[in-house]
């Protein structure tokens, strides 16, 4: 795929160099190496080609390559983003090869600070790619377990955006339809990776999730960011496992919205329990483990996990403002597989 893309660029007279030293859960070091490659080659733009980690690294490289400050100076706190010289930000063309992150329509990147294993959100309005190519052909080769984990990430974006407090009917509408597309097409893409319609609809649902979550994310991501930073696990897989536990902890605040969602999805008894059961069945059908223990996450660091999740930027738009102790509790339930039903 990358070879084809490079050849096509060269045929069109666009001189490109491949930089691919990006790990899953990209680090500040990956971004710095990319900045060095960008400046060494005297480039004037970035083609972000890959899954969420590649897109996020590429966007951060494009932001920082022309700046004098390190990437951490653009962490999404207050008006840090105004520190960047906007004229020095490189344009990005994004081509996602997974359907999950939606980073192609986002103005931020999640980068791991390896010095303390924390995930930081790097933000600038101009990080939004100038062009996005959603090409289902480049996602047909994804193995089923990655299709499942990335698709569940897209579901978590739509679901957390819908549940985030605040008045935003447009985001809510996008989120509900994104969830419907995932309901209808994720199982198809999982069992038949070459189904172009399913792959197309999932790419769209993924972009819709990231569009909707301009409204906010919530506790799934607060914990997924924390655990991704500490244990270097797949972001989508973490969200997929955490989803029912966070939903249950939020039940009191989201029952009305889950009833509306259930109705939109045409469920027989549209209520919180029906949506939760659908999520549980979907996870099972996609081979997603039920507990964090099954992917090797122990409950040892429970206090640290709770404290880190409480201050994750996405915690601010969870329907309930959970304390560190409450996050620790949800974490323990997710390790041990404790759901009330
Ligand atoms: Zn996510």
């Amino acid at each position: 795929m990358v070879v084809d893309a490079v050849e096509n660029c060269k045929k069109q007279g666009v001189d490109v160099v491949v930089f691919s030293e990006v790990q899953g859960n990209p680090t500040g070091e990956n971004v710095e190496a990319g900045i060095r490659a960008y400046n060494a080659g005297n480039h004037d733009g970035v083609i972000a080609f890959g899954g969420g980690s590649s897109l996020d690294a590429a966007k951060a490289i494009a932001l920082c390559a022309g700046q004098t400050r390190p990437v951490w100076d653009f962490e999404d706190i207050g008006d840090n983003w105004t520190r960047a010289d906007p004229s020095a930000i490189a344009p990005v063309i994004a081509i996602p090869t997974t359907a999950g992150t939606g980073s192609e329509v986002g103005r931020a990147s999640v980068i791991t600070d390896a010095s303390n294993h924390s995930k930081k959100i790097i933000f600038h309005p101009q990080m939004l790619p100038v062009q996005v190519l959603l090409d289902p052909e480049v996602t047909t080769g994804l193995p089923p377990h990655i299709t499942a984990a990335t698709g569940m990430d897209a579901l978590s974006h739509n679901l957390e955006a819908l549940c985030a407090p605040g008045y935003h009917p447009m985001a809510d509408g996008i989120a509900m339809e994104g969830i419907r597309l995932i309901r209808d097409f994720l199982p198809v893409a999982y069992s038949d990776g070459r189904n172009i319609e399913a792959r197309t609809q999932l790419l769209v649902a993924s972009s819709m999730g990231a569009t909707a979550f301009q409204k906010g994310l919530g506790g799934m991501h607060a914990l997924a960011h924390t655990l991704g930073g500490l244990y270097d696990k797949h972001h989508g897989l973490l969200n997929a496992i955490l989803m029912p536990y966070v939903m249950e902890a939020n039940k009191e605040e989201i029952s009305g919205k889950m009833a509306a969602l259930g109705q939109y999805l045409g469920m027989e008894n549209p209520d919180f329990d029906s949506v939760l059961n659908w999520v549980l069945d979907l996870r099972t059908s996609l081979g997603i483990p039920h507990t964090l223990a099954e992917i090797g996450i122990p409950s040892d660091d429970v206090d640290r996990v709770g404290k880190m999740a409480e201050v994750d930027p996405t915690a601010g738009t969870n329907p309930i403002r959970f304390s560190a102790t409450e996050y620790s509790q949800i974490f323990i339930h997710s390790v041990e597989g404790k759901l009330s039903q």
Side-chain angles (χ1 to χ4, degrees), residues 300-324:
D300 304 1
D301 249 348
V302 55
D303 291 340
R304 188 178 181 198
V305 169
K307 280 183 194 140
M308 285 173 74
E310 185 193 20
V311 298
D312 186 89
T314 59
T317 42
N318 192 68
I320 300 169
R321 198 68 210 242
F322 294 134
S323 65

Side-chain angles (χ1 to χ4, degrees), residues 153 156-157 221 235 239:
D153 189 29
S156 73
H157 295 157
H221 276 77
H235 172 74
N239 277 312

Side-chain angles (χ1 to χ4, degrees), residues 100-102 110 150 152-154 156-157 160 213 217 220-221 224-225 235-236 239:
T101 162
V110 181
T150 50
M152 289 299 285
D153 189 29
S156 73
H157 295 157
E160 292 216 289
F213 83 59
L217 287 167
M220 293 170 209
H221 276 77
H225 288 157
H235 172 74
N239 277 312

Side-chain angles (χ1 to χ4, degrees), residues 227-242:
L227 298 171
L230 291 175
Y231 298 103
D232 197 23
K233 299 292 182 187
H234 189 278
H235 172 74
L237 181 60
L238 288 169
N239 277 312
I241 297 172
L242 290 161

